[in-house]
Amino acid sequence: MHEASLVSALVESLLDLKAREGAKKIVKFQVAMGELSGVDQEAFNMAYEALKGVVEELRDTRMEIIKIPARLRCEECQREFSGDYFSACPECGSYIKTILSGEELELREVELEV
Ligand SMILES: [Zn+2]
């Protein structure tokens, strides 16, 4: 499962951070999840819960998922719009666009107890 490896990578960097800061526990962390990241949030949650059961450091940790909406910019007329990889520009109908946001999957704020 794709999501399981994403979750373990995230948790690994969390544990790294905790060790680096010499923290007692990880209180809370935020994951920015883009609309276009291709991550299934339910599967992601399930993978996290499963990992939580075996990683003692996560027992009292809260995970917060922040959905990042997709923003695209048309390369023809520079109009910004929301949509996905298959959307045409609502202004000029062009398919040539730049993804401004919505592809991210990353750790944001991490709250540690030191
Ligand atoms: Zn356009």
Side-chain angles (χ1 to χ4, degrees):
M1 192 167 59
H2 176 59
E3 278 74 11
S5 58
L6 290 173
V7 170
S8 15
L10 272 181
V11 166
E12 217 165 280
S13 33
L14 268 177
L15 296 179
D16 274 358
L17 185 71
K18 177 177 179 280
R20 228 175 22 241
E21 302 286 324
K24 277 206 290 277
K25 81 185 210 194
I26 306 160
V27 180
K28 181 181 126 174
F29 67 96
Q30 293 179 333
V31 182
M33 194 182 281
E35 245 175 30
L36 303 176
S37 63
V39 178
D40 178 344
Q41 191 175 339
E42 203 175 315
F44 190 88
N45 271 327
M46 273 169 53
Y48 177 67
E49 288 304 317
L51 209 56
K52 212 173 157 163
V54 288
V55 180
E56 201 172 329
E57 283 94 332
L58 294 177
R59 199 148 296 164
D60 303 313
T61 304
R62 263 184 307 133
M63 174 174 72
E64 205 178 298
I65 292 178
I66 301 163
K67 294 287 239 173
I68 309 293
R71 291 298 300 165
L72 315 164
R73 190 182 58 226
C74 174
E75 286 303 309
E76 300 291 339
C77 70
Q78 307 304 313
R79 163 142 179 194
E80 287 185 19
F81 58 102
S82 53
D84 58 29
Y85 296 114
F86 310 106
S87 306
C89 170
E91 192 72 36
C92 70
S94 169
Y95 282 95
I96 306 164
K97 56 196 174 284
T98 303
I99 313 287
L100 300 176
S101 70
E103 289 182 308
E104 49 279 269
L105 182 79
E106 57 196 27
L107 265 183
R108 286 281 167 91
E109 226 166 89
V110 181
E111 204 181 309
L112 296 170
E113 193 183 296
V114 282

